[in-house]
Amino acid sequence: MGKKKEEKDKAVEEEVAASEDEEVMPAVSIEDELRAQNTDLLDKLQRSLAEFDNFRKRTAKEKGEMFDLGAMSVAGEFLPVIDNFERALSAASDKEDNMYKGLMMIYKQLEEALEKVGFKPIECIGQKFDPNLHNAVAHEKIEGEEDNIIIGELLKGYKYKDKVIRPSMVKVAN
């Protein structure tokens, strides 16, 4: 019986040793495989984060562009109203009249509201003519005046941020 037990123990030890050898070999390859998977997953995660960041930036830019387009469209509708307001104010005979003063206050408030959202009138009187900002509709020869200097504004031009919404219609000295 002792011999059988010894043979059985020896067989178990050999089996354990053989299984340990088998486990050691695959354990190394499993670690390498896990490292490779980890590297692959990390790469995929970094790419996904970069794509998401690009998407977020592109979406924010498109959103800003859409807002700008809408603002320019609305301002384009208001410009004739502002022009008529200016004509009415310039045609008023009594500048001390309360009605005139009230209309002037409303006009100033409208100008301030437009400036708050990024609209500004194009300054032109006394400036050098710039075809990107001005539309010359009249030329006048004036002694002592430099050529291509704007001497009159017939219709006020406006910019939204750096974009010209409507160029100023001007009279230029030649």
Side-chain angles (χ1 to χ4, degrees):
M1 223 178 174
K3 199 174 186 188
K4 275 188 174 182
K5 187 174 181 186
E6 282 178 28
E7 286 177 10
K8 194 176 182 184
D9 288 342
K10 191 175 181 182
V12 169
E13 285 177 15
E14 287 174 5
E15 227 178 270
V16 168
S19 67
E20 284 178 356
D21 288 340
E22 288 175 9
E23 289 176 12
V24 170
M25 292 292 281
V28 172
S29 64
I30 288 174
E31 286 178 6
D32 291 341
E33 189 178 318
L34 288 175
R35 278 193 189 101
Q37 284 179 350
N38 188 24
T39 303
D40 186 47
L41 290 173
L42 182 62
D43 183 54
K44 286 179 181 178
L45 176 65
Q46 288 172 336
R47 288 178 188 272
S48 294
L49 288 173
E51 286 177 16
F52 180 72
D53 192 43
N54 290 339
F55 170 77
R56 187 180 47 80
K57 288 176 184 176
R58 186 176 58 249
T59 303
K61 181 181 176 186
E62 288 172 359
K63 183 176 151 185
E65 288 172 354
M66 293 299 278
F67 177 81
D68 289 349
L69 277 172
M72 288 189 292
S73 175
V74 169
E77 297 296 321
F78 272 101
L79 294 182
V81 174
I82 293 170
D83 295 338
N84 288 332
F85 227 124
E86 289 172 347
R87 286 185 193 101
L89 290 170
S90 67
S93 57
D94 186 9
K95 308 281 186 207
E96 296 302 317
D97 182 44
N98 285 337
M99 178 67 89
Y100 175 83
K101 289 179 182 178
L103 289 174
M104 189 57 131
M105 288 170 65
I106 294 169
Y107 174 73
K108 291 290 182 193
Q109 188 177 20
L110 183 58
E111 275 188 329
E112 289 170 5
L114 285 173
E115 282 189 31
K116 279 183 186 177
V117 293
F119 290 91
K120 293 183 181 171
I122 298 173
E123 299 296 324
C124 61
I125 303 290
Q127 304 286 324
K128 189 158 182 74
F129 176 77
D130 180 356
N132 297 317
L133 301 174
H134 311 114
N135 183 12
V137 293
H139 296 274
E140 190 174 320
K141 185 85 173 158
I142 297 180
E143 292 297 320
E145 190 66 51
E146 201 177 316
D147 282 353
N148 287 332
I149 297 297
I150 298 170
I151 55 173
E153 181 180 52
L154 305 172
L155 186 63
K156 193 181 283 189
Y158 287 89
K159 287 171 113 181
Y160 176 68
K161 297 181 180 175
D162 289 331
K163 288 185 177 183
V164 175
I165 303 299
R166 179 177 75 186
S168 299
M169 294 178 86
V170 296
K171 184 192 291 188
V172 181
N174 279 350

